[in-house]
Amino acid sequence: MNIKHYILVGLSLLALASCSEKSDAVEEYPDWKNKNEQFFEAAYLSGDYDLKLRKYSLKEEVAAKSTEYVLVEKLVDSEPLDDETPYLTDTVQIHYVGSLLPSTTYTTGYEFDKSYIDPFNIVTAVPRKFAVNAVVPGFATALLQMHRGEHWRVTIPYQLGYGTSANGAIPAYSTLIFEIRLEDFWTKKQGDRY
């Protein structure tokens, strides 16, 4: 037998071995699109939220669907420090935690990003800076209505989040849930870096 024969036999055995393996992998996000759509529609209709904010870019005369709103729960310890809100071109300084709906192994929802290390400490946590127009439309919609010092839980339908595309560890069709504390905001000046 020559070397080519050994290589072919080896590849054949490898192919057969990989075909005969049982897949014990558990699907993390089964029926994810449907689950997220049903959750958001039920949440929208529930009346359990303090605010329903219409996507910032929609004109008033256009009839809006439920998926063109973000849902806001004002958290107990949030008191506005003034009556100003950011503009779309402003930079915000925030503390936040972003998570998904519960899934197979993440029974309280996968936490995909946060601006601090647990436990949260207002004295030691350093807020992150973002341009309002650099985040997904649902997040921007909420920021445009927040006042300094407010603490909100914002539920964003996938249509105002990452949509039908995955983004890193966030699967397509994901409802995004953010807990946001708006610390400060200001207008970006030429030359400012984020």
Side-chain angles (χ1 to χ4, degrees):
M1 292 186 159
N2 62 26
I3 190 82
K4 287 182 183 177
H5 186 272
Y6 286 115
I7 291 173
L8 286 173
V9 169
L11 288 174
S12 299
L13 291 174
L14 185 60
L16 288 173
S18 65
C19 291
S20 65
E21 289 182 40
K22 290 183 180 177
S23 177
D24 292 335
V26 176
E27 187 177 354
E28 186 64 44
Y29 304 104
D31 198 24
W32 196 238
K33 179 182 178 190
N34 189 40
K35 180 178 182 176
N36 280 268
E37 287 174 345
Q38 287 178 358
F39 169 84
F40 191 82
E41 192 61 29
Y44 180 81
L45 296 172
S46 73
D48 292 340
Y49 294 85
D50 298 309
L51 297 171
K52 293 178 183 175
L53 302 175
R54 189 174 175 167
K55 182 182 173 192
Y56 70 87
S57 62
L58 291 179
K59 296 178 181 172
E60 287 302 317
E61 59 272 6
V62 176
K65 301 176 248 182
S66 61
T67 56
E68 293 170 341
Y69 286 86
V70 297
L71 308 176
V72 174
E73 177 187 352
K74 292 183 176 183
L75 300 177
V76 177
D77 63 349
S78 67
E79 281 297 321
L81 300 177
D82 56 35
D83 58 355
E84 296 179 352
T85 58
Y87 291 105
L88 190 61
T89 55
D90 284 351
T91 300
V92 293
Q93 197 169 26
I94 62 174
H95 294 291
Y96 68 91
V97 178
S99 59
L100 305 177
L101 297 182
S103 62
T104 304
T105 54
Y106 299 100
T107 55
T108 59
Y110 172 65
E111 208 171 85
F112 58 85
D113 196 12
K114 75 171 25 174
S115 63
Y116 56 87
I117 298 171
D118 283 328
F120 178 75
N121 182 329
I122 194 71
V123 176
T124 59
V126 177
R128 296 240 182 109
K129 294 179 191 176
F130 290 99
V132 175
N133 61 11
V135 296
V136 295
F139 199 106
T141 297
L143 289 172
L144 293 172
Q145 300 298 317
M146 290 186 81
H147 301 89
R148 288 178 183 94
E150 287 191 307
H151 183 188
W152 291 1
R153 183 172 295 114
V154 179
T155 302
I156 303 170
Y158 73 81
Q159 293 87 342
L160 298 181
Y162 295 108
T164 60
S165 301
N167 184 14
I170 303 170
Y173 305 107
S174 290
T175 298
L176 306 177
I177 300 170
F178 284 97
E179 190 173 314
I180 308 168
R181 295 171 186 262
L182 179 60
E183 298 298 323
D184 202 1
F185 60 89
W186 58 91
T187 302
K188 181 181 182 277
K189 297 180 185 96
Q190 185 127 9
D192 282 354
R193 291 166 36 113
Y194 295 109

